[in-house]
Amino acid sequence: MPDKPNILIVDDRQENLIALESLLEECDAHIHRALSGNEALTLMLKHPFALVLLDVQMPGMDGFEVAELMRVNTQTQTIPIIFVTAISKEQQYVFKGYESGAVDYLTKPVEPIVLLSKVRIFIQLWKQNQALAEALQQKDILAEKLRQQAEYDALTGLPNRALFHDRLKQAVLLCERNKNVGALLFIDLDRFKWVNDTLGHKAGDQLLIDVSQRLCHCVRRTDTVSRLGGDEFTVVIQNVPHESFVEMISRKILDELARPFQLGKKEVQISGSVGVTIFPHDSVVLEDLLKNADTAMYKAKDSGRNAFCFFTSEMNDHAVRRMVLEEQLRVALEEEEFCLHYQPKVDLKTGHIIGMEALIRWERHDGMVFPDEFIPLAEEIGLIVPLGKWVMKAAALQNKAWHSAGLPLLTMGINLSAKQLNDQDDLIKTVDDILAATGLPPESLELEITETTVMENLDVGLKTLQALKDRGIQVSVDDFGTGYSSLGSLKSFPIQTLKIDKSFVRDLSLDSDDAAIVSAIISMAGKLSLKVIAEGVENQEQLDFLKQDGCDAIQGYFFSRPVSAQACTQMLQEKKALVFSS
Ligand code: C2E
Ligand code: CA
Ligand code: CA
């Protein structure tokens, strides 16, 4: 933006111009001269003027004509004019001047003080306008920056998930209107995590940037490459002439990804997997298209990486979906897409947090998945054993971190599946390793085993439980009340705690049967010297009932939902506790 205003002085006499200019010298402005109306109009189209000092009497085009012409051109119509005239006393002239848009007039001979005071007003006005224009420009720049942030990935500069959705929507609409075909490619890198873990985040970031550039080279300018997050990229291809065209692009992408990457001094080899879905053929619903491409991508991964795969409707079959989920689970474990949330266990005598339960979550690119959706499959395909080990290790490390930070030592509850209980040697070794690695006392570990798991594996299970007890590790029976164990048979079990299932707690105040069952469990447990904890406590009524009946501890949304480790840390630091009214 210009730092000084431009002022135009117009007079047919050179000496007048010189005189005016010398008077204006002390104003902070660029002065331009014109000797005729024509010259003045030409200059006005070249520079943005803050003011024109316009002589009225000029041969050829006089000042009024110049003013009239200025008023019909949008570029000049807002420039303020001060007429300079020798015959000012004639009111007529003055009026004529105002009609043609003058803002002011001066009489010749020009009085320096009058001239300067008038001109200064216009310079002041120009400065204010300038500041306003600058502010508006800043605002535009800021708005553009925010838009960039909202729509583009900061690392690679590619469209992010939000803009990708927009582009895909547009592409689908366009191909429906033009009756042609489009494709969505879902691309996942096969060794990204390895790079990140072994070479560091900087190398990982560099890899993502390089990958995004290579991907952009594989497609036409009209196609959109986006980064959805992590190492997941998509390509939207419009106007596909033939399926073989998409095949060719997919191959090109795989070839590009297979070429070595130079990350600092290291040369790194990775590969990718590409899933393809075609619209409108496969679907026109955005979520479905994304799911299709994702499914096809996992199929490609499953068929041995560095491959691409087209979506087919058979992939929606139950069996295939399961296979894909299976592959997703394996990848998730490899790439550590799991995390733990923790739910506090609260003592009903003191109100203090005495322990936590570790609950697994799967952070998939399309959102968080809860354990009920994948634990059964993980059990079926044997993945639960490595997954369970990961959980135990991660939870123990977290427990150790809290303790090291000066927080009270907690009991960490970990859910065990039947498969883990059945492989006694493996389980005991895992537990021993973790205790040795963390240096935590065995009592800080509490394994939660469901009632049905124990009952269905009586001989092996009991032996394992005994071995755990011998080490000082605690065992609780989860979901108690849902199975068929008689309370009596518990007497011989090497366990310390019963966890009353949340289904009984839920209807405590409504259903007197449930209330009776809960009371019976609590009093029986007391006789067997077992501790009782109730899960799923959601309100004060349930809490009051359990406290009155002598239940030892509770867990549930009433005190806290399962939350991230970070949120738990805060709870522990703030010493969050239950407050009892009586
Ligand atoms: P669970 O062991 O019975 O865990 C308690 C479940 O109840 C958790 O669901 C928890 O979020 C939920 N819950 C807690 N408080 C309340 C409440 O006040 N009201 C209600 N309605 N629900 C409450 P989540 O986290 O979805 O876990 C579901 C099941 O998945 C667990 O049931 C457990 O059997 C299994 N699971 C979770 N993590 C693991 C793990 O690391 N390994 C194994 N093998 N199983 C796990
Ligand atoms: Ca549990
Ligand atoms: Ca439970």
Side-chain angles (χ1 to χ4, degrees):
M1 288 218 173
D3 53 334
K4 285 182 188 182
N6 289 298
I7 295 177
L8 178 62
I9 48 183
V10 190
D11 202 303
D12 57 312
R13 301 173 71 135
Q14 189 77 38
E15 64 269 28
N16 285 350
L17 286 176
I18 293 170
L20 267 179
E21 186 169 358
S22 73
L23 282 176
L24 291 174
E25 221 161 47
E26 61 180 275
C27 297
D28 197 20
H30 296 291
I31 310 295
H32 302 249
R33 301 183 203 164
L35 277 164
S36 70
N38 265 326
E39 197 185 337
L41 287 168
T42 313
L43 276 172
M44 276 183 236
L45 298 179
K46 274 199 211 141
H47 306 277
F49 284 105
L51 176 65
V52 180
L53 289 171
L54 189 53
D55 186 23
V56 174
Q57 289 87 14
M58 291 188 290
M61 193 190 298
D62 72 11
F64 295 134
E65 278 175 79
V66 173
E68 260 153 41
L69 287 172
M70 279 172 71
R71 295 310 171 215
V72 295
N73 185 324
T74 47
Q75 220 179 319
T76 53
Q77 66 190 181
T78 53
I79 303 175
I81 302 168
I82 298 179
F83 284 116
V84 186
T85 169
I87 40 175
S88 66
K89 304 290 178 268
E90 298 286 332
Q91 280 295 311
Q92 208 182 341
Y93 277 115
V94 175
F95 277 120
K96 188 159 184 199
Y98 279 111
E99 260 165 37
S100 54
V103 208
D104 213 338
Y105 75 100
L106 285 165
T107 49
K108 286 183 185 173
V110 173
E111 272 181 70
I113 299 181
V114 180
L115 170 75
L116 285 175
S117 67
K118 285 189 196 284
V119 169
R120 278 203 188 102
I121 291 172
F122 286 101
I123 292 182
Q124 195 53 39
L125 264 176
W126 176 86
K127 282 187 178 153
Q128 280 169 6
N129 275 336
Q130 201 70 1
L132 194 65
E134 237 163 81
L136 285 174
Q137 199 183 15
Q138 282 298 322
K139 209 179 117 216
D140 283 354
I141 293 172
L142 203 70
E144 174 62 20
K145 241 196 201 149
L146 286 176
R147 199 185 60 83
Q148 279 270 346
Q149 276 173 7
E151 296 190 331
Y152 291 87
D153 172 43
L155 179 67
T156 60
L158 292 179
N160 65 13
R161 184 183 290 272
L163 188 54
F164 157 73
H165 270 274
D166 242 41
R167 296 276 172 92
L168 181 59
K169 197 155 101 194
Q170 268 173 18
V172 170
L173 286 175
L174 259 177
C175 84
E176 278 185 308
R177 185 186 317 145
N178 300 339
K179 304 249 172 307
N180 57 23
V181 173
L184 167 66
L185 274 59
F186 197 105
I187 301 150
D188 190 85
L189 307 183
D190 289 331
R191 293 224 302 164
F192 175 67
K193 186 169 182 305
W194 175 85
V195 170
N196 236 353
D197 288 353
T198 52
L199 303 180
H201 281 287
K202 251 188 153 162
D205 284 355
Q206 189 55 49
L207 178 63
L208 292 173
I209 293 169
D210 291 355
V211 164
S212 67
Q213 280 163 0
R214 288 194 193 177
L215 289 179
C216 290
H217 282 139
C218 295
V219 300
R220 302 167 302 184
R221 279 158 72 101
T222 45
D223 304 328
T224 308
V225 179
S226 315
R227 178 174 173 228
L228 298 196
D231 58 344
E232 292 170 344
F233 295 86
T234 54
V235 176
V236 178
I237 303 176
Q238 294 193 41
N239 202 356
V240 169
H242 194 269
E243 257 191 31
S244 63
F245 179 75
V246 181
E247 248 180 78
M248 186 212 42
I249 290 189
S250 304
R251 277 223 180 80
K252 208 155 124 193
I253 288 176
L254 291 175
D255 289 349
E256 278 295 312
L257 294 179
R259 274 200 303 121
F261 287 86
Q262 192 69 41
L263 304 178
K265 289 195 184 98
K266 276 251 163 29
E267 203 182 74
V268 173
Q269 194 103 37
I270 63 161
S271 60
S273 303
V274 179
V276 184
T277 190
I278 300 288
F279 50 85
H281 179 271
D282 294 340
S283 173
V284 289
V285 182
L286 302 194
E287 292 75 37
D288 290 349
L289 285 173
L290 199 57
K291 224 190 300 163
N292 291 352
D294 192 43
T295 304
M297 189 274 291
Y298 276 102
K299 190 95 198 285
K301 251 189 211 287
D302 192 50
S303 72
R305 321 197 147 189
N306 192 24
F308 67 89
C309 176
F310 276 75
F311 174 79
T312 61
S313 55
E314 290 84 65
M315 286 185 191
N316 277 330
D317 288 357
H318 181 71
V320 180
R321 271 218 311 279
R322 244 191 66 126
M323 181 216 75
V324 167
L325 186 64
E326 226 183 283
E327 179 59 21
Q328 285 179 334
L329 262 184
R330 284 186 211 285
V331 172
L333 186 64
E334 220 171 275
E335 314 255 292
E336 284 185 29
E337 285 172 14
F338 296 103
C339 76
L340 293 178
H341 278 191
Y342 299 90
Q343 188 178 37
K345 301 181 177 184
V346 188
D347 189 297
L348 278 185
K349 282 189 195 71
T350 64
H352 293 152
I353 298 175
I354 45 169
M356 295 282 179
E357 177 176 2
L359 293 158
I360 193 166
R361 303 286 180 259
W362 179 6
E363 289 181 301
R364 235 169 51 168
H365 62 82
D366 52 353
M368 190 147 87
V369 190
F370 285 83
D372 287 338
E373 281 184 55
F374 62 89
I375 290 283
L377 178 62
E379 283 177 338
E380 226 174 288
I381 61 180
L383 215 60
I384 193 70
V385 174
L387 191 60
K389 269 184 205 169
W390 178 84
V391 171
M392 220 185 278
K393 200 148 85 193
L397 284 174
Q398 182 59 61
N399 200 16
K400 162 98 177 169
W402 279 326
H403 190 47
S404 308
L407 297 165
L409 183 63
L410 302 171
T411 308
M412 180 59 79
I414 286 158
N415 293 289
L416 270 204
S417 92
K419 275 243 169 63
Q420 288 171 282
L421 194 65
N422 283 339
D423 192 344
Q424 183 185 339
D425 296 344
D426 190 57
L427 179 66
I428 299 289
K429 184 175 179 318
T430 306
V431 168
D432 284 347
D433 286 352
I434 285 168
L435 289 179
T438 56
L440 288 171
E443 317 82 68
S444 68
L445 195 58
E446 179 171 24
L447 303 181
E448 301 191 2
I449 301 161
T450 65
E451 185 185 355
T452 23
T453 301
V454 185
M455 298 314 284
E456 279 167 13
N457 303 277
L458 266 183
D459 19 317
V460 196
L462 274 182
K463 263 197 260 160
T464 317
L465 293 185
Q466 190 57 50
L468 290 169
K469 189 187 178 185
D470 293 345
R471 284 172 162 69
I473 288 155
Q474 309 208 47
V475 175
S476 60
V477 175
D478 206 351
D479 301 347
F480 189 76
T482 56
Y484 298 98
S485 49
S486 67
L487 281 165
S489 66
L490 287 173
K491 217 171 6 191
S492 53
F493 276 27
I495 56 164
Q496 290 79 38
T497 307
L498 293 183
K499 263 190 115 162
I500 303 176
D501 190 66
K502 51 180 172 292
S503 61
F504 299 105
V505 175
R506 189 178 50 219
D507 299 331
L508 262 187
S509 47
L510 303 173
D511 191 319
S512 55
D513 281 354
D514 281 348
I517 292 171
V518 169
S519 297
I521 294 175
I522 294 174
S523 84
M524 187 62 152
K527 287 187 189 115
L528 297 170
S529 328
L530 294 174
K531 289 217 170 299
V532 186
I533 177 166
E535 65 176 18
V537 176
E538 293 184 356
N539 58 48
Q540 184 76 49
E541 267 178 296
Q542 295 162 344
L543 178 79
D544 291 344
F545 182 98
L546 291 160
K547 184 167 162 59
Q548 204 147 39
D549 258 36
C551 185
D552 297 294
I554 59 124
Q555 211 182 337
Y557 296 170
F558 183 69
F559 184 78
S560 168
R561 289 185 171 255
V563 291
S564 68
Q566 206 185 355
C568 274
T569 307
Q570 200 172 348
M571 258 193 267
L572 292 169
Q573 281 168 342
E574 287 168 357
K575 299 195 168 60
K576 179 174 172 174
L578 269 180
V579 191
F580 305 112
S581 38
S582 48

